[in-house]
Amino acid sequence: MAATILSRTVFATSRVINSSFAVPLKTQFLSSVFNIKPLHLRVAPYAKYRTSGYFSTMASSVSGVTTSSSVQSMSTSESVVSVDWLHANLRDPDMKVLDASWYMPNEQRNPLQEYQVAHIPGALFFDVDGISDQATNLPHMLPSEDAFAAAVSALGIENKDGVVVYDGKGIFSAARVWWMFRVFGHDKIWVLDGGLPRWRASGYDVESSASSDAILKASAASDAIEKVYQGQAVTPITFQARFQQHLVWNLEQVQKNIEENSHQLVDARSKPRFDGTAPEPRKGIKSGHVPGSKCIPFPQVLDGSQSLLPPADLKEKFEQEGVSLDKPIVTSCGTGVTACILALGLHRLGKTDIPVYDGSWTEWGAHSDTPVSTSESS
C-alpha cells in the first residue's frame, strides 16, 4: 500500500514537472495543487565532471576561490561536511546524495512534494517513514538488515559509495539516516551541515524536478521494503548490510540501565515534555522521562543556522547538563529522530559508539508498567 501511494504521488508529480516548463510555471502549479509556498529557484545546468574511481579529486570555484577536495580526503571520523565540500565533490561517480527530509505531523509539510520542488542536483529521496520496520506500530523504527539492504540497493547505493544526507531544516531528520547507515555497517556517511537551507543561502543551484531515474528509484525502494516484509526475494542487492548491535538500544536495555546505571541516558526532547509539564504530541503517551535520565533539547547542539556547534561549544553544552564525556552515553527522544542529532554531536567529540534508544519515548510512555519521573516527582 505504501509503495502504491508513493508511486502514484511521485509519478503524478513527475508528469507536471519536466524540463520543458519554466520554473515559475512549475512552482505556480505545485502551489495550487499541493498548497506549497512558491520557492524562488535558481536552476542552472550542471556539467558532468569526468572522474574515475572513488578517489578522484575534483575542483570547483567556491565563493570565488578555487578549492580542491576529494571523497578520499573526508575522514569517517567526521560526522558532517560543509556545503562547499559537497559542491566540490557533487559529481564524483561514487558520491551519493540523499534528501532525507521528514517533518513532525503537526507541521503539515510533505517532504516528497518539497523534494520535487527543490533539491540538491542529483539527490535521491530517502523516505524516513517508508524505509522502516513494517512489523511494528511504532513510527519509522529500524528495518531489518535485509529490508535496509534491499531499499538502499534500489536507490543505487553500493558499499563503496560515500553518502551525504541532508534535510530541509538544516540538521534534523538527516541525522537519523546518518545513524541508520552506521547501524548497518556503513561508515562513509556524512550529514550536510546546515542542510538545504545553507546550500541555498550559499548560492548553489537546486534542481526543480526529479529525473525519471530518481522517481523510479524512490518507488523501487518503497516496493523493496514491502517485498522483504512479505517474504519475497528482492534483487539485485548491491549493498550488504552488517548490523551493529551496539549502536541500538531497546526497551529492556533501558529498563535494566535504571538499576545498573551503566550508561547516562540523555533525552533530546524539550524541557517541558521531559519534565512532564507539557503533553506529548501523540495520544496515549504518558508525560515525563525515564528515571535518572538527563535532558539536552536537540536545538541546544545547533547554532542559529541549524548547523552543528563546534567541538568546544558542544563539550560545554553536555558538561553544563552534568553529562560526563568520559562515561558511556545512550540517547533518546520522542521517536528516535532527534536523539540522533545528539549522537551526531557526540560523534564530533570523538564518541563514535553512542547507541540510540530506537523506540524512545513513544514506546516507553505507551507502556503501563514503565516507570516515569516528572519535575514534581524528581
Side-chain angles (χ1 to χ4, degrees), residues 71-121:
V71 178
Q72 180 193 26
S73 67
M74 194 65 226
S75 170
T76 56
S77 65
E78 297 289 338
S79 54
V80 298
V81 296
S82 69
V83 295
D84 294 343
W85 185 90
L86 179 58
H87 183 262
N89 288 276
L90 190 59
R91 295 304 178 180
D92 188 303
D94 293 325
M95 168 62 70
K96 301 298 192 299
V97 181
L98 299 177
D99 183 326
S101 299
W102 176 88
Y103 305 103
M104 291 289 290
N106 62 2
E107 294 181 83
Q108 297 184 336
R109 295 177 64 174
N110 187 313
L112 177 58
Q113 290 169 0
E114 292 189 19
Y115 164 80
Q116 293 276 14
V117 174
H119 57 267
I120 292 175

Side-chain angles (χ1 to χ4, degrees), residues 123-273:
L124 299 169
F125 183 73
F126 187 103
D127 184 358
V128 171
D129 280 330
I131 302 178
S132 63
D133 185 355
Q134 305 295 297
T136 177
N137 58 0
L138 293 172
H140 44 252
M141 293 296 96
L142 276 173
S144 67
E145 259 182 309
D146 289 345
F148 186 82
V152 170
S153 295
L155 289 172
I157 297 172
E158 302 177 30
N159 295 90
K160 66 182 177 62
D161 292 332
V163 181
V164 173
V165 58
Y166 73 89
D167 60 56
K169 283 193 168 183
I171 290 182
F172 188 63
S173 52
R176 169 76 185 184
V177 177
W178 166 84
W179 173 74
M180 290 175 69
F181 270 89
R182 296 186 66 246
V183 165
F184 290 110
H186 193 71
D187 290 330
K188 294 192 289 285
I189 174 81
W190 303 277
V191 170
L192 182 62
D193 207 11
L196 187 60
R198 174 165 283 194
W199 177 270
R200 300 186 70 168
S202 299
Y204 294 134
D205 297 331
V206 296
E207 287 180 342
S208 60
S209 64
S211 69
S212 58
D213 181 60
I215 292 168
L216 289 170
K217 285 178 177 176
S219 181
S222 183
D223 285 337
I225 286 284
E226 292 194 2
K227 286 181 179 179
V228 170
Y229 278 94
Q230 291 169 0
Q232 301 178 35
V234 177
T235 57
I237 299 298
T238 61
F239 182 93
Q240 301 298 324
R242 302 178 304 278
F243 186 57
Q244 307 297 304
Q245 180 67 62
H246 69 283
L247 294 178
V248 188
W249 268 32
N250 57 32
L251 185 143
E252 289 73 25
Q253 287 172 291
V254 177
Q255 288 176 318
K256 186 177 179 181
N257 189 62
I258 294 176
E259 299 298 326
E260 296 185 350
N261 197 27
S262 63
H263 286 63
Q264 303 164 96
L265 179 60
V266 186
D267 194 322
R269 292 177 301 151
S270 68
K271 198 67 165 60
R273 288 174 64 188

Side-chain angles (χ1 to χ4, degrees), residues 292-359:
S293 58
K294 301 178 185 298
C295 180
I296 299 181
F298 76 89
Q300 292 189 14
V301 303
L302 306 175
D303 64 18
S305 66
Q306 302 304 295
S307 300
L308 198 60
L309 291 176
D313 293 340
L314 283 171
K315 185 173 184 291
E316 183 180 359
K317 289 292 183 184
F318 283 97
E319 290 178 344
Q320 282 177 345
E321 297 303 324
V323 178
S324 172
L325 298 176
D326 296 325
K327 297 179 181 179
I329 300 169
V330 59
T331 65
S332 179
C333 59
T335 64
V337 173
T338 59
C340 299
I341 300 176
L342 296 187
L344 187 77
L346 288 163
H347 190 281
R348 169 167 270 189
L349 295 176
K351 305 282 286 184
T352 60
D353 58 350
I354 301 297
V356 169
Y357 171 26
D358 196 23

